[in-house]
């Protein structure tokens, strides 16, 4: 079955550094992959979508890469700020619904 | 994108009782989705609610346990029936955010955190 893996351990990053989160998947070749941000007590909020034929996508300080050979997406936040602290979820398109990772908690320390 | 109001935001319930979660969207949408998010786990789709027809449930979820109503194109409810501690979770409603590309991007409500004692 389709499976998505994100690092379950929290990622601690010093403010100003680049944070890199990983999303690995198996048993599927998605047409696109999405990244969402979720704050405590809130629902996920869409950030970026990358298609299978795109290597990289950028939005302000965010960058997503998609390696269909490695079956992996990397999510980068450059010049990280404490306000970037949240849980980040990746999701890929399943047959008719999104398949979600469990998320990685990112903590940006001042 | 749509704005979704969901309530209650949280509740503490007794075992064996039922609770209804409401989801109001500020625009008309064809499908509304109900998800469950258990601690440390990924989002799991419970069912898809279409206006004018019965909800479509995913494997492992049944109508008797999670009855859904969809009376119009802007509103839906999810009831968690005969609750047990295992039902303690965050329940989220969502709608599709249409994209020209056809990608299935979702907008979510803030979620309802249920604790069953």
């Amino acid at each position: 079955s389709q499976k998505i893996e994100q690092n379950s351990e929290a990622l601690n990053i010093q403010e100003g550094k680049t944070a890199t989160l990983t999303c690995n998947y198996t048993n599927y070749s998605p047409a696109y992959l999405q990244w969402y941000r979720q704050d405590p007590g809130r629902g996920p909020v869409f950030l970026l979508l990358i298609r299978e034929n795109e290597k990289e996508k950028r939005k302000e300080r965010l960058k997503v890469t998609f390696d269909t050979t490695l079956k992996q997406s990397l999510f980068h936040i450059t010049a990280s700020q404490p306000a970037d602290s949240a849980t980040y979820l990746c999701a890929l398109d399943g047959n008719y619904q999104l398949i979600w990772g469990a998320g990685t908690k990112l903590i940006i320390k001042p | 994108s749509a704005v979704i109001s969901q309530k209650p935001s949280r509740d503490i319930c007794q075992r064996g009782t039922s609770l209804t979660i409401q989801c109001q969207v500020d625009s008309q949408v064809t499908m509304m989705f109900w998800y469950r998010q258990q601690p440390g786990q990924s989002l799991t789709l419970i069912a898809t609610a279409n206006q004018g027809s019965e909800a479509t449930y995913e494997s492992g979820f049944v109508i008797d346990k999670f009855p859904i109503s969809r009376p119009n194109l802007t509103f839906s409810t999810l009831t968690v029936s005969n609750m047990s501690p295992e039902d303690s979770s965050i329940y989220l409603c969502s709608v599709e955010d249409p994209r020209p590309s056809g990608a299935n991007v979702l907008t979510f409500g803030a979620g309802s955190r249920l604790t069953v004692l």
Side-chain angles (χ1 to χ4, degrees):
Chain A
S1 62
Q2 303 150 359
K3 187 176 180 181
I4 295 184
E5 291 185 349
Q6 294 185 257
N7 195 336
S8 58
E9 294 184 8
L11 181 63
N12 288 276
I13 299 292
Q14 195 67 38
E15 181 178 8
K17 302 292 185 183
T18 296
T20 299
L21 307 176
T22 304
C23 177
N24 295 301
Y25 61 93
T26 58
N27 297 328
Y28 198 65
S29 296
Y32 54 84
L33 189 145
Q34 303 180 35
W35 284 89
Y36 289 74
R37 167 181 173 146
Q38 186 172 23
D39 292 284
R42 309 295 296 239
V45 175
F46 171 74
L47 295 174
L48 279 170
L49 177 150
I50 187 166
R51 297 194 164 279
E52 60 178 338
N53 61 353
E54 297 175 318
K55 295 296 184 185
E56 180 180 298
K57 201 76 164 287
R58 290 176 184 264
K59 179 183 176 182
E60 299 174 351
R61 294 185 296 112
L62 309 181
K63 184 179 82 171
V64 171
T65 63
F66 195 7
D67 189 325
T68 55
T69 300
L70 292 178
K71 295 188 181 294
Q72 179 182 81
S73 175
L74 298 179
F75 178 82
H76 307 272
I77 304 176
T78 58
S80 58
Q81 305 165 1
D84 295 325
S85 299
T87 296
Y88 292 85
L89 312 174
C90 68
L92 58 82
D93 65 310
N95 291 326
Y96 63 96
Q97 62 171 289
L98 290 177
I99 309 298
W100 295 85
T104 298
K105 185 174 183 179
L106 176 65
I107 301 169
I108 306 298
K109 297 184 175 181
Chain B
S1 55
V3 176
I4 301 176
S5 300
Q6 189 174 336
K7 58 181 182 181
S9 58
R10 60 177 59 233
D11 207 339
I12 299 174
C13 308
Q14 295 299 316
R15 183 195 300 258
T17 62
S18 298
L19 181 78
T20 296
I21 302 166
Q22 299 180 8
C23 182
Q24 179 75 52
V25 188
D26 69 344
S27 58
Q28 294 185 341
V29 294
T30 303
M31 293 187 291
M32 295 178 73
F33 306 94
W34 287 99
Y35 281 88
R36 183 174 70 183
Q37 187 177 32
Q38 294 179 309
Q41 298 189 25
S42 59
L43 290 169
T44 302
L45 182 63
I46 297 171
T48 301
N50 296 301
Q51 196 270 335
S53 64
E54 281 197 5
T56 302
Y57 289 84
E58 298 302 312
S59 176
F61 298 96
V62 294
I63 188 171
D64 290 346
K65 176 67 176 177
F66 298 100
I68 287 172
S69 77
R70 183 78 200 275
N72 57 53
L73 290 174
T74 64
F75 187 78
S76 179
T77 68
L78 170 76
T79 298
V80 186
S81 303
N82 188 26
M83 286 185 284
S84 67
E86 292 72 33
D87 294 320
S88 297
S89 185
I90 298 173
Y91 294 84
L92 295 150
C93 72
S94 70
V95 301
E96 288 182 319
D97 182 4
R99 299 284 163 134
S101 58
N104 186 20
V105 172
L106 297 179
T107 297
F108 287 86
S112 300
R113 180 184 291 272
L114 301 187
T115 301
V116 184
L117 304 177

